[in-house]
Amino acid sequence: MARIVMKFGGTSMAGIERIRSVAARVKREVTAGNQVAVVVSAMAGETDRLVGFCREASSLYDAREYDVVVSAGEQITSGLLAIALQAAGVPARSWLGWQLPIATSDAHASARIEHIDMAALDASLAAGEVAVIPGFQGVDADGRVTTLGRGGSDTSAVAMAAAMKADRCDIYTDVDGVYTTDPRIVPRARKLKKVTYEEMLELASVGAKVLQTRSVGLAMKEGVRVQVLSSFTGEDAPMADTLPGTMIVGEEEIDDMERQLITGIAHDKNEAKITLIAVPDKPGAVAAIFAPLARANINVDMIIQNIAHAAGSTDVTFTVPAADLARSIEVLNQGRGEIGFSELVHDTRVAKISVVGVGMRSHAGVASTMFSTLGERGINIQAISTSEIKVSVLIEEDYTELAVRVLHTAYGLDAEDAA
């Protein structure tokens, strides 16, 4: 008997017929003799609808009440799936985050899972019940509902798999695996059989929408076997452990024959660029900018500090998630006296393009190829950031698809047998 966590995203849960299809897939695992916990997302578009209500009610809403509102989507789908499973003859019950409980920090809208109490869930699984758990949510020490940030259901699933000591965590999505890039932009993109935790972590952090960044980091830390699969393969498809999805694995499991210089190319249009003009060029000036942003739980990505002006000042440019732009501007303007900048300029018409691959560690020239390829197409680079296995550039948003296509070809990632 295996213990399995099955996670289904919003498109898989978008309507009663799809929920019935999910129930049929879960039933197959139960019939095979496995203990199953299912983690579900809200119906496609539902979280955006609920977020819209919060913003309409107040542009500066209370994050604690925001969590109460947006967590409702997963509560609905967990209850509906439990009903569908019961109707299919499968013993099942839903467990809300506070009922297990899934204990989290109190950073509302971006909480982190600290502990999952398995006592009640173990008893339920041992009794033959399928546990249906709403992703994305938990409860803090004060008993208030918390949410884990957008895409947090992936993190919920991996955390549940770690707590259950599950044999695997199957992430069902609207794609059938991890590709070298978005196949909607590049039809010749190839599906990857295996991707290392580290590569997936970088791809997720720079715009690949397959898995949430924190879920990959948690899987790497806990050694959770994660498989990315399609939930739209039909009821007669093979069992999950034989489906040709993408396995997220440790680097030691990648054979040298399978290893590539570049694993994938990601893009992210959800970036905003902020430039602070005429910041005093003195010790502590940069800390005065980024410390308050950190306290506001705003993640800063690319950072560029220009050469100092003659007047003893400099310009500082950085990027933040587009969703955090308004809060970032507010925080910076509140600290304007301490920071000392003369003007704040922002731009949302930008995109981040990233190339990722563990092969970069042992091969030179990856960045040079990227820069020259973009330059040949007249694409200007506004900012650059790098890590050991990643190079990212910020470009004008209108050039996003062109950049992805030409880089995919430049690194030899095009599939030879694509139509």
Side-chain angles (χ1 to χ4, degrees):
M1 176 186 294
R3 274 196 164 186
I4 301 169
V5 173
M6 306 172 72
K7 184 268 178 179
F8 293 91
T11 52
S12 307
M13 305 297 292
I16 297 302
E17 285 307 312
R18 288 190 178 177
I19 289 174
R20 287 197 182 108
S21 178
V22 167
R25 195 177 294 274
V26 174
K27 183 177 181 178
R28 293 175 64 194
E29 294 290 354
V30 175
T31 303
N34 297 319
Q35 290 185 341
V36 180
V38 186
V39 176
V40 296
S41 296
M43 292 185 184
E46 181 65 8
T47 302
D48 287 336
R49 187 177 75 92
L50 296 174
V51 170
F53 286 151
C54 292
R55 290 174 176 165
E56 187 176 345
S58 173
S59 58
L60 298 175
Y61 48 74
D62 184 333
R64 294 167 297 184
E65 304 305 339
Y66 167 93
D67 278 355
V68 172
V69 174
V70 300
S71 63
E74 283 76 12
Q75 177 173 329
I76 291 168
T77 50
S78 61
L80 289 173
L81 180 56
I83 291 171
L85 284 165
Q86 292 165 5
V90 179
R93 69 153 291 179
S94 62
W95 295 87
L96 300 185
W98 60 268
Q99 291 176 309
L100 288 171
I102 300 172
T104 74
S105 65
D106 61 359
H108 288 272
S110 59
R112 292 187 175 273
I113 295 175
E114 296 176 343
H115 175 70
I116 299 177
D117 191 327
M118 286 298 300
L121 195 59
D122 277 335
S124 177
L125 292 169
E129 286 186 334
V130 171
V132 185
I133 302 160
F136 180 57
Q137 67 171 247
V139 61
D140 68 12
D142 292 331
R144 300 211 56 158
V145 173
T146 58
T147 63
L148 310 182
R150 298 305 295 266
S153 292
D154 286 345
T155 300
S156 298
V158 172
M160 189 58 59
M164 286 174 54
K165 296 180 172 54
D167 294 86
R168 67 175 192 266
C169 179
D170 293 335
I171 306 289
Y172 288 87
T173 71
D174 53 357
V175 297
D176 60 350
V178 180
Y179 281 73
T180 48
T181 195
D182 188 339
R184 293 169 297 182
I185 295 177
V186 183
R188 297 176 69 87
R190 292 184 290 107
K191 185 170 69 175
L192 300 163
K193 292 181 180 179
K194 295 179 181 179
V195 178
T196 69
Y197 290 123
E198 195 172 0
E199 288 171 326
M200 194 67 240
L201 192 61
E202 289 283 16
L203 286 168
S205 70
V206 294
K209 302 299 190 295
V210 179
L211 293 173
Q212 190 212 38
T213 307
R214 279 198 287 165
S215 71
V216 183
L218 183 59
M220 181 166 61
K221 174 177 176 288
E222 299 292 338
V224 173
R225 181 181 178 223
V226 177
Q227 186 172 204
V228 179
L229 302 161
S230 171
S231 57
F232 300 104
T233 53
E235 293 184 12
D236 58 347
M239 295 291 282
D241 54 359
T242 62
L243 280 172
T246 299
M247 290 298 303
I248 315 301
V249 299
E251 189 174 344
E252 66 280 359
E253 294 187 45
I254 304 290
D255 188 272
D256 287 339
M257 294 287 291
E258 300 175 302
R259 195 179 302 278
Q260 298 185 114
L261 174 60
I262 297 299
T263 296
I265 298 170
H267 70 281
D268 189 358
K269 293 183 179 181
N270 299 310
E271 294 279 313
K273 182 176 71 171
I274 295 176
T275 299
L276 300 182
I277 297 175
V279 176
D281 186 22
K282 63 180 183 181
V286 173
I289 297 170
F290 297 114
L293 292 173
R295 287 194 294 270
N297 291 313
I298 296 171
N299 292 321
V300 175
D301 185 14
M302 299 176 168
I303 302 173
I304 298 174
Q305 182 170 341
N306 297 328
I307 297 173
H309 301 311
S313 62
T314 186
D315 299 339
V316 178
T317 298
F318 55 93
T319 60
V320 297
D324 289 333
L325 177 60
R327 284 200 304 135
S328 300
I329 292 172
E330 180 186 12
V331 167
L332 292 167
N333 281 329
Q334 287 176 350
R336 185 169 185 167
E338 181 181 357
I339 299 169
F341 64 89
S342 66
E343 185 180 357
L344 185 155
V345 179
H346 66 273
D347 185 2
T348 57
R349 298 164 313 202
V350 294
K352 180 169 63 179
I353 310 295
S354 305
V355 296
V356 176
V358 292
M360 290 186 196
R361 291 179 176 143
S362 55
H363 292 79
V366 172
S368 175
T369 297
M370 186 181 200
F371 302 155
S372 60
T373 300
L374 295 178
E376 288 166 3
R377 292 303 184 110
I379 301 173
N380 186 47
I381 296 172
Q382 302 179 21
I384 302 167
S385 68
T386 65
S387 75
E388 190 178 21
I389 64 168
K390 176 200 72 181
V391 181
S392 296
V393 297
L394 196 70
I395 65 172
E396 187 179 332
E397 184 181 52
D398 291 346
Y399 291 104
T400 302
E401 294 191 5
L402 175 60
V404 170
R405 286 196 297 268
V406 298
L407 289 171
H408 197 267
T409 299
Y411 289 111
L413 297 176
D414 292 347
E416 294 180 2
D417 58 351

